[in-house]
Amino acid sequence: MFARLLVLLFLTLIPALVHSATVSYEFDIDVAEISVAGTTIDALSINGQVPAPTIRARVGDTLITTFHNHLDEPTSIHWHGILLPGDQDGVPYLNTDPIAAGGSHTFEFPILHAGTFWYHSHTELQIQRGLYGGIVLTEAEATADQQEAVVLFSDWTHEDAEAVMRNLKKSDDFYAWKKDSVQSWDQVIANGLPAIRNRLNSSITRMGPMDLTDVAYDAFLANGMVESRININEEGGEQFKLRLINGATSSYFDVEYAGGPMTIISADGMDVEPFEVQRLRISTAETYDVVVAIDSDSSYELRATSIDGAGHSSVFLGNGNRVHAPDIAPPNLFLMDHMSMNMDMGMDMTMNHAMNGEMHSGQPEAGDHQHEQHSVGSVHQGEHSSMMMSASEVVEHMMDYQHLIATASTALPGNQEWRNIDLTLTGNMERYVWSFDGKTTREDPQVWIRKGENVRFHLTNDTMMHHPLHLHGHFFRVVNQHGERSPLKHTVNIPPMGNVIIEFDANEEEDWLFHCHNQYHMKSGMNRVISYEETSNFTPEIGRHILPSNRWFLINEFHLMSSFGDYEFTLADERHSFDLEIDTDLDDTYELHALYNYHLNRFVSAFAGVESRQHHHDDNHDIAIAGLNVRLPFMIESEWRVDDHGDFRLELEGDIELSKRIGFDWRWNSDNERRYGINYRVNNRFSITVHTDTEYGDGVGIQFFY
């Protein structure tokens, strides 16, 4: 029996052995001047290209790639979705040395599987600046019997990526202004009673206006251009294979082809049962292989539209007359109910509520609570066949994974113990902090597993944003209604208010990253290290190295009025903030607060500090104060404080966006001090304001922050 297995293994490896070779690349990482949307800008490039050159190899090959870093900062390269030795994964400090400024690094590993993948920097926000490229891995015996091309989607901002992060930290609607998506009350009312009801419901639950994306981008690109063309060989047949890669920093795209439905044949490099889709949503960091029809007389548009409708890129496939894909209307955010987004957007994909053990890859261990997960679209195992699409069915808009069916069983080993891990995706849009279970990677860096287990993650999204989660070094099953043939992926989208189950064979060692691939979410805390017991090399020093370089963020806000001035200064990280506020009439009255805040969660913080005040030539009055800041329903901010004399004070404040440009703010406390103001917003940093204050009187002036 053992001899027969050896013969079978040898026969399986013969094609790889015949075609095996050493495939070598040598690349220079440097700054290059590129033109995007009519603006010339410095980008980070590989061999002067954005995106970087496509790397190609076959199963059985050994890939050797050397990168020379000509930047004045360290960089790194991660091989996204590829199974390889841990020390080649490319996460700086965790498992691979960073590529120092002026230094070089050579990666060498065998190619074990075929598929469409990509490579990118894992240092700070260098993806946003241009360090990404495609990877095509083919079977050892593959022949070029079909025309194909790589289409790598990305997003581009002319702003420095670190400046984008600072802006996100300073104002939760900073980029809503640029996208013209400010959800003011005049627009709420204009959208009728459902929008009014949604806004009131969200305000009661202390959730601010929602958006689908964080950043306002200047352009969306396909293969580095807003618009490009792929020529076809008119004698090469009537079908064309497109290897689609979403290499964006934070964007999701709805992709549609003008020449008819796209046939999906692979997801994240893993083959699936082919099926047709008219429009495909591709999450950040995912890849899909699709086959499309071509026509020698036409040039069909492949259009990738950002899910917030802010813009699109176009690739025209063919040499004839242009045929355009349809425009996609921007979503109406006013009509999206926060608490039922998962249902309304058709995003549910776990399909697990009524699943029994046979629908998974093995029987759950005692105490497994997978059946407590609730899903809108759950089906019984008996309905499995009815969910399998007929050959003629076309999915109108694929936004989840329910149509993905693996070509063979993906069941995990039935003789291994199960480890169940619950992770809740959490965040605070107002302070722009993203986390798992309310803790950032700085606070809770590791998740422990053991080699030889079947690991099941129950992932619940408690936020209003999409999160594309990526696991390094492993493929996982996305558990859906297809049971043993649930698809294998390396990146999975967790929709707003949604839940997903993934599971994998813990067959590696040491430490692997698991994180949101929205780089701004990852760099603000939604990141974990999956560590294998007994072989983990993770240390607190490594933990400090893998954190973003910028921990503390500054916010300065000024009110310069004809009757008084108000300056607010905040120095904050994900949990702590130091706040200073000074009110003064520049004559005989001032009030100063210097506080330390500990943010317990997105709704509550505890503070302590000092208050110093002088009113109209009265003696200085210095006291120690402590208390709680609590966000109340209807987005009212409350301060509950007591001073060292035992005196209690309650202060309430809020603001209302009446229109995109006009807002109303107010402040009241139980000492009967009041302030009201009308603001005219010139841009997302600067406002003209009219205020009245019980201490300082009426005034006209400006308000700005930086």
Side-chain angles (χ1 to χ4, degrees), residues 17-76:
L17 293 172
V18 171
H19 293 287
S20 64
T22 297
V23 179
S24 298
Y25 288 90
E26 193 158 353
F27 293 132
D28 293 312
I29 301 175
D30 208 342
V31 176
E33 192 176 82
I34 65 171
S35 178
V36 177
T39 299
T40 300
I41 193 168
D42 285 340
L44 301 185
S45 68
I46 296 180
N47 282 14
Q49 297 180 211
V50 177
T54 299
I55 292 175
R56 297 178 182 270
R58 292 188 175 195
V59 174
D61 290 343
T62 297
L63 181 63
I64 301 177
T65 313
T66 298
F67 294 89
H68 304 289
N69 181 13
H70 300 285
L71 305 176
D72 58 3
E73 60 182 314
T75 188
S76 58

Side-chain angles (χ1 to χ4, degrees), residues 363 365 413-419 450 452-455:
Q363 291 292 338
E365 61 185 8
N415 60 345
Q416 295 186 163
E417 292 186 359
W418 284 85
R419 181 187 294 260
R450 179 174 295 173
E453 294 177 327
N454 293 332
V455 178

